[in-house]
Amino acid sequence: MLSAKNRLQKNAQVSRVLNAGKKQKYGPLLVFTAPSENPAKFAVVVSKKVAKFAVKRNHLRRLTFEIIRTTLPLDQLTGEVVVVFLYLPQDPQAEITQALKQWHAAP
């Protein structure tokens, strides 16, 4: 799990990034980013339209946080990021990893 210092905690923070952030689509993910001088903070949103059952939504959320923790250089990133699932991926681990790597490599 991603540490608390790297997660957006409040609904207001997530709403601000969703409303004012720049959005980009990568596979099953829509990534909203808002610039900030602070270390990177992430939030993951999985709606009921994507996964009907809470168990599946929580699994996708935990999996995404784990992929962020293990594949991205958190100490080098700044800003606030909200990851929104557009649809349920066929192979969640591979598709989420690929999408987040594309996001990180993009200018």
Side-chain angles (χ1 to χ4, degrees):
M1 187 65 149
L2 206 57
S3 67
K5 69 178 183 174
N6 290 114
R7 282 182 282 158
L8 290 172
Q9 299 291 331
K10 308 257 185 223
N11 257 350
Q13 293 174 322
V14 174
S15 295
R16 185 175 44 78
V17 175
L18 289 175
N19 292 330
K22 176 181 159 190
K23 70 178 173 182
Q24 300 164 317
K25 184 182 179 302
Y26 300 99
L29 306 179
L30 190 59
V31 181
F32 291 83
T33 56
S36 172
E37 297 299 320
N38 300 326
K41 290 185 177 242
F42 293 86
V44 178
V45 177
V46 185
S47 73
K48 284 186 180 180
K49 289 182 180 181
V50 172
K52 182 178 178 182
F53 299 105
V55 173
K56 187 65 176 173
R57 291 193 303 272
N58 290 333
H59 174 72
L60 286 171
R61 194 173 292 114
R62 282 191 226 104
L63 179 64
T64 305
F65 277 130
E66 187 61 21
I67 291 169
I68 289 169
R69 187 183 69 81
T70 58
T71 60
L72 299 179
L74 295 176
D75 55 340
Q76 299 171 6
L77 295 174
T78 60
E80 295 174 336
V81 181
V82 177
V83 177
V84 178
F85 276 82
L86 297 174
Y87 59 88
L88 186 63
Q90 294 294 322
D91 181 10
Q93 177 105 23
E95 291 185 45
I96 295 168
T97 302
Q98 180 183 6
L100 288 173
K101 284 183 179 180
Q102 286 176 348
W103 168 77
H104 179 63

